[in-house]
Amino acid sequence: MNEIVLRPKDHTRVSLEAEVITPDNFAGKTLEEIENMMVYPGNRTVQLKERFDVSGSPCDTADDLRIIIDGGAPRLKRVGEKMSCGEIVVRGDIDMHIGAEMTGGKITVEGNADNFAGREMHGGLIHIKGNALNHVGGVARGGDKGMTGGKIIVDGDAGDNIGDFMYGGVIKIKGNVGQAAGHNLKGKGTIIIGGNSWSRVGVEAADGTILVKGKVHLSAASLGYGCIGKIVKNPELGGEVIEGEFYELRADMGYKPKAGRAKVYASVGENEHILPGGRTSSPRKGDMPPGRDMLPYLKIYHKEMIERK
Amino acid sequence: MRMTAETELLIKNGIVYDPINNVDGEVMDVCIRGGKIVDSVSAGAKVIDAKGKAVTPGKVECHSHMVGITPTSARILRPEDIRTRLNVSDGIRRAGGGRTVPTTWELGYEYAKLGFTRAYEAAVTPLYSREAILEFNRYPILNKGIFILFGNNWFVMDYLKSKEQDKLTAFVSFLLKSVGGYAIKIVNPGGNEAYKWNTEWNCHHADDPVPYFGVTPREIIKGLCIANEELGLPHSIHLHTNALGVPGNYEVTLDEINTTKGIAVGSDSGRVQNTHITHVQFNSFGGDDWSTFNSKADVIAKYINQNDHITADSGNVIFGDATTMTADSPAEWALYKMTHNKLISNDSEAEDGVGILPFLYSKKSPVHSVMWAIGLELELLTDPWKMFITTDHPNAGVFLDYPLIYSWLLSEKTRMEEAEKVHPWALKRTGLGGIDKEYSFYELVIATAAGPAKSLGVIKQEGHLSIGAKANVTIWDINPLEDDLSRDPRTDKFATTAYTIKEGEVVVKDGMVVNVPMAPLDVAHTHVDYEIQKVVEDEIKDKFKRYYTVQFENYIVDPDMYLTKADKIDVVSGKVHFIPCATQTEDVIK
């Protein structure tokens, strides 16, 4: 595989929009041509070479091209936008819109990613080894069609609104997530959360699946939790079997016609607080906020619960 | 500053279309000096060779939602809109974008590219007219004006309730002057007020009384029409009738436009109508519910053809994304219950309401297909002097798609090709299939330039190419004498002009904006008897404390701060006098 290395020269506080950095754009160009491509710091236009040291071996086919951003670029936006093949490796942090609207290829971020990682992506793989902020695999402001395919893996935590308006694909977060994960989930999308999830999981979600291995926070807004109430063992999601027992719940807050048809799986071991009369076992600082007493119309099958105890 | 230089232009050998002067495709020269059309120019004049090109007066947009609180709220509601179209600054144009709700500057450039030289903002509540004026002051190239909403105003209904027509007239005069308006807009008279009492209430027909006030939409329309003619405003009342978007509403429409029949026109601005009914496509529905929904465009068209007191604009549907925005909040609420899209429903105190909701017109939808056909039927069946082409931007479609409507009107072939792509109801439930009429280029100029200019009362200044008229001229890369527009309607050539000339300055050349002058806003100044004016002002001040959250003194738009770039249309006993801003505000400009 041929590699082109971009080494960031300096870190300014002004954001740099560089949607040209994709294997598709770099393929078939000489190093000099790549150096002369345009990027946008703030409201100005400069050449790529003013902000990056460019080296490596160019090649003609984007499939065989790997772009390495050698070092953190915490203000570099829109890298890999609309890429269809090849690979991008970021050796550090990256700013918003990494891999937005991408259709194929692979992006690896060794540091953290800012908001909108994999926004509206259609295919390919994004692997973020640090944390990601809000709207992972989500949709830009005001839109109503988010991620439709591909896979996003975040090894750390993620922020709010991950996978909003998602129509397909898989998002896998190994750590905790913020609130409203998978809100307005619409198609066959799958979100797997390794840690805890803050309130309002799957708000207005019409289809798809969200699995939470840790705690699900119960808030006044998440009224319909438990309206299915059965327990599933080792469900198969996103092409893999997930070990453990999970309550199959629904979260239906919302006024949209099909809201409430998505499934929310919440781990049996961690979620006693959502049972009738349940309370959080150990409210610690930094943990999930204390659970509330059960809402009166919650319909977990009591019999099954009693048998378990 | 306005252009004062004595620049001279000679448009040579163009094929001139000037319906007001009955010029239908004659090869002649047009001479321009100092922003006016003149009979001859000196030898040093700049020459534009228009051989084989059509030369027409600048188009006039009679109904569009462009500036003010409603489009601005819609811009906030729809941040995704700017992603569909985005232009960077090129030294002449400012950066901007958006499609259904474009940015202010972008609107001016794109309208000028389509050949427009004048546009009217269709609905501004008096309370928020400041914002519309400020935005219009930064709106390039086009002349403009604001229609002020009166149809649900508490003062109007109070005076109608006590049957004090003279005070109503004085109030209309006072309010238009105070907030910088140009004409009276009536939206869903009474219905918005009913909606404020209960979301399921509305005024469903002309005799459905308004809660508390007890007046009916018929009385509101008639009272405001009489006030309009007593004041002699340049434009007639601009009416959006009740029951918009409800199957079977054509009867309400006929009933309400018949209300103003017989009221004499009291203005010498050149108009012959006393009522302009707007986006009439939405008000020509037949049937009892959506399953029996059909077109009654033929009935409406027949009425308009037979009666001279009415003009209308069509409100054609264009398939694709749109943002519905209207002061008719109950209609928007009905749309919300159908679509569950994001909605803004707002209330402007004692005046009116507003609703905004993004909407998608789909070719697969039977109802939308029928609506598309109704718009075309209305235009094809009605005299173009009485039916103007609009999309009610951005309610039924975006103004950028006007060339599509022109193509469907100019060519039966193109129209039928489109009709086959949409839902079969478009031909089954309407009479569109049986219409073989095709617009000529001359009729298109009537329906886009001469007709609206006449209806809006600006015919003394523009809308034609007579000697002394404002030199608003468009040149098209189309030769209607040789090109067969019915076979190929040249949609690409209608998308931009070859030249747009605004008061003698070339502003668009070959589809590029080359010059960005600023044109003034038109404000109507009317006069009523001093004593009645005094009485009404005292009453308003008294009621203001109870009705409004703002002070009376802050409500009135200060002309020295906001209207320094406004042309004054002074109306004295039915005679319209045009006072350009340069003469009224010399000290301010210095």
Side-chain angles (χ1 to χ4, degrees), chain B residues 199-265:
Chain B
T199 52
E200 305 310 320
W201 290 0
N202 198 348
C203 287
H204 299 285
H205 53 84
D207 297 315
D208 206 355
V210 185
Y212 175 70
F213 292 98
V215 296
T216 60
R218 192 189 302 279
E219 288 166 5
I220 298 174
I221 296 168
K222 198 163 186 177
L224 286 169
C225 186
I226 293 169
N228 193 72
E229 302 310 336
E230 279 179 0
L231 294 172
L233 282 165
H235 185 38
S236 63
I237 54 167
H238 203 91
L239 175 65
H240 157 144
T241 51
N242 293 90
L244 176 131
V246 178
N249 61 9
Y250 78 103
E251 287 174 338
V252 181
T253 311
L254 287 177
D255 198 12
E256 295 193 352
I257 51 182
N258 203 28
T259 305
T260 58
K261 197 174 181 177
I263 298 173
V265 175

Side-chain angles (χ1 to χ4, degrees), chain A residues 82-281:
Chain A
K82 293 180 184 164
M83 68 184 269
S84 65
C85 53
E87 193 178 339
I88 296 177
V89 178
V90 184
R91 301 230 165 101
D93 296 347
I94 193 84
D95 204 346
M96 295 201 277
H97 301 289
I98 176 91
E101 297 173 49
M102 69 188 275
T103 55
K106 186 182 174 190
I107 296 178
T108 310
V109 180
E110 292 177 1
N112 304 318
D114 208 297
N115 296 327
F116 295 108
R119 162 176 67 81
E120 291 161 41
M121 70 187 277
H122 306 295
L125 172 68
I126 300 178
H127 187 177
I128 297 162
K129 293 188 176 168
N131 302 325
L133 261 179
N134 311 324
H135 296 281
V136 176
V139 65
R141 294 275 182 245
D144 59 1
K145 196 159 189 185
M147 180 170 171
T148 58
K151 190 167 186 179
I152 302 175
I153 300 171
V154 180
D155 289 352
D157 299 337
D160 299 338
N161 296 318
I162 61 165
D164 50 346
F165 293 91
M166 187 175 169
Y167 274 74
V170 180
I171 299 176
K172 201 170 170 185
I173 314 279
K174 292 187 179 161
N176 302 327
V177 300
Q179 61 184 352
H183 83 72
N184 279 289
L185 194 64
K186 287 199 169 160
K188 298 289 174 206
T190 305
I191 300 175
I192 299 169
I193 298 161
N196 302 330
S197 163
W198 207 257
S199 61
R200 276 168 276 166
V201 185
V203 177
E204 293 201 326
D207 202 349
T209 319
I210 306 165
L211 183 138
V212 186
K213 289 183 185 168
K215 278 176 194 159
V216 178
H217 175 227
L218 194 70
S219 71
S222 17
L223 295 177
Y225 276 169
C227 59
I228 304 176
K230 68 182 180 193
I231 290 176
V232 289
K233 284 179 186 169
N234 304 338
E236 190 181 344
L237 283 180
E240 56 177 305
V241 175
I242 292 153
E243 301 274 319
E245 290 183 317
F246 297 91
Y247 296 128
E248 189 178 311
L249 311 170
R250 282 185 180 182
D252 71 347
M253 188 196 82
Y255 188 40
K256 295 206 171 155
K258 289 180 181 172
R261 296 193 188 174
K263 287 175 189 161
V264 177
Y265 291 111
S267 140
V268 168
E270 300 275 342
N271 285 301
E272 280 183 24
H273 63 287
I274 67 169
L275 299 179
R279 286 180 177 280
T280 313
S281 50

